[in-house]
Amino acid sequence: MWKKTIIFLCTICIAIGATAQDKEVRNLLRKGNKQYRDSLYTAAEVFYRKAQGKKPADATISYNLGTTIFMRGHQQHLKNGGKTSGVSPEDSLINQGFEELQRASKMEKDPQKLADIYRNMGVILQGKQQLKECIEAYKQSLRKDPTDDEVRYNLALAQKQLKDQEKNQNNDQQQENKQDQKQQQQEENKQQEDKQQNNNQDKNPPQNKMSKDAANQLLNSIMQEERKVQEKAKKGLRVRGKKLEKDW
């Protein structure tokens, strides 16, 4: 799913106000950030969700939470060796992380933080092979921060992957068209052969053939009739051949 050539830039941040509630939220973010840096993503998610419960409409919390959920999914994906079937649990986590980043992008106003958000969205999309959307996310990131060479590298890689993908799709389509044409030609040839065979049958209608048993029965019947005729003939000869006494 995620190629090693993609540069991961899933950083987190902290920027909360100075009210009493904000201080509590900031403390939760710090704890979450510590767990994140130690790659303890499940524990980090717990702190970020607590912070979000206290301050739901905060872009920083959504960004950190989304990035953490994505990293949980990616970590599970690596443990499974990248072998999954259907919609796996790690895929669900990655999708949840992406949705949280989208939510952050709608709330964030700071250009640098927006660049970070779009960058992480691009990484997720690139791993899912949604390359057109990925390219747009990287472009959005570079519009906010044109100096990010790592994002520029990922963008160039995604563009190459898209070009290769479209080329393979064209090749597959051409191969499929050839198969369809071959199958159609075979069907047409078969129809032509059937038509020719029907024409030959019309010109040369099949002759009824008598079975061996029927022929024997017919022969026996003829022989019996012949014997009857011969027997009648013999009887007639004996009458006509009878000796008559002379009348003196």
Side-chain angles (χ1 to χ4, degrees), residues 201-222:
Q201 289 176 352
D202 293 339
K203 292 178 182 178
N204 302 305
Q207 297 180 355
N208 293 329
K209 293 183 178 180
M210 186 179 295
S211 67
K212 185 177 180 180
D213 291 340
N216 290 334
Q217 290 178 0
L218 179 61
L219 180 60
N220 290 335
S221 177
I222 293 173

Side-chain angles (χ1 to χ4, degrees), residues 106-122:
K106 296 175 182 177
M107 294 185 290
E108 187 59 70
K109 304 300 180 184
D110 182 82
Q112 184 57 57
K113 292 179 182 178
L114 274 171
D116 294 340
I117 293 170
Y118 284 122
R119 174 195 61 207
N120 286 2
M121 289 172 63

